[in-house]
Amino acid sequence: DAGVTQSPTHLIKTRGQQVTLRCSPKSGHDTVSWYQQALGQGPQFIFQYYEEEERQRGNFPDRFSGHQFPNYSSELNVNALLLGDSALYLCASSPTGNEQFFGPGTRLTVL
Amino acid sequence: DAKTTQPPSMDCAEGRAANLPCNHSTISGNEYVYWYRQIHSQGPQYIIHGLKNNETNEMASLIITEDRKSSTLILPHATLRDTAVYYCIATPYGGATNKLIFGTGTLLAVQP
């Protein structure tokens, strides 16, 4: 049984560009959450999707948006990239009422 | 969500028990204590969670004080592969339908 997968593993963009990151949840998991982890810090919650709707959102600007598809996979979009958006972006999936399973992350570098 | 406080780093000898403390003095009655760990360059991994009773699974044991203001994660026989950052999180409900608020965690270094 495949765990949570994310693509791409690494990405380099320049300031002002837009990026899309992808996540496939663990089989049977219907909830997907996204986190941003800056170097040396703990992960910070961006938002959570359930039944194709954004259910919760952390303290991130509207430049960060997402989507969940009927097969529960999810995308994270970031517009107008800033240098400070450089981070490891983590996706986590969970079945209702259980712990979260994290993917390996996508390392985004903004130059 | 209740704030948690952990020491920034700890050392442990290989084969010995590692005891990682966490303070959550403002925890609410409906908040569970969750432990995750993150090995370098990987995503966090769930370890264990509990509400007020002590819990044990194949990875670790969780001891929660009677007043629920603190807890200890115990790795009974630490190995080099247990070197990681360990996060203690207090969150309502079952943890899946709520966001996880990570602090900076405890870097556990297991020494040979």
Side-chain angles (χ1 to χ4, degrees), chain B residues 12-71:
Chain B
C12 177
E14 190 177 18
R16 303 297 293 270
N19 297 280
L20 292 95
C22 179
N23 183 287
H24 32 79
S25 58
T26 62
I27 195 169
S28 301
N30 67 342
E31 288 184 315
Y32 287 70
V33 179
Y34 273 73
W35 283 84
Y36 283 77
R37 72 179 183 183
Q38 187 171 25
I39 296 170
H40 184 61
S41 298
Q42 298 182 21
Q45 176 190 24
Y46 164 81
I47 301 173
I48 198 167
H49 73 279
L51 183 61
K52 52 184 176 181
N53 296 321
N54 298 338
E55 303 287 345
T56 295
N57 64 19
E58 65 278 5
M59 289 183 68
S61 295
L62 174 60
I63 308 298
I64 303 173
T65 58
E66 193 168 342
D67 62 8
R68 301 209 327 121
K69 293 185 177 182
S70 66
S71 61

Side-chain angles (χ1 to χ4, degrees), chain A residues 37-108:
Chain A
Q37 186 173 24
L39 205 59
Q41 302 296 316
Q44 301 299 305
F45 175 78
I46 303 175
F47 43 54
Q48 184 179 87
Y49 278 84
Y50 173 70
E51 292 188 342
E52 302 179 52
E53 297 284 334
E54 182 181 293
R55 179 159 63 178
Q56 287 193 86
R57 189 177 183 92
N59 188 26
F60 279 80
D62 291 344
R63 297 187 298 109
F64 290 77
S65 64
H67 187 78
Q68 186 179 34
F69 298 93
N71 66 353
Y72 307 131
S73 66
S74 177
E75 288 182 349
L76 164 65
N77 301 291
V78 187
N79 294 323
L81 284 167
L82 304 174
L83 295 180
D85 295 331
S86 295
L88 180 68
Y89 288 85
L90 294 159
C91 169
S93 74
S94 52
T96 304
N98 214 325
E99 71 272 11
Q100 297 191 19
F101 292 79
F102 284 80
T106 293
R107 173 72 61 187
L108 173 64

Side-chain angles (χ1 to χ4, degrees), chain B residues 81-99:
Chain B
R81 288 179 295 179
D82 293 321
T83 292
V85 177
Y86 287 76
Y87 296 100
C88 168
I89 300 167
T91 186
Y93 311 114
T97 56
N98 286 277
K99 58 184 181 287

Side-chain angles (χ1 to χ4, degrees), chain A residues 1-6 24-29 93 101-104:
Chain A
D1 176 28
V4 178
T5 60
Q6 293 185 245
S24 291
K26 191 173 168 63
S27 177
H29 290 188
S93 74
F101 292 79
F102 284 80

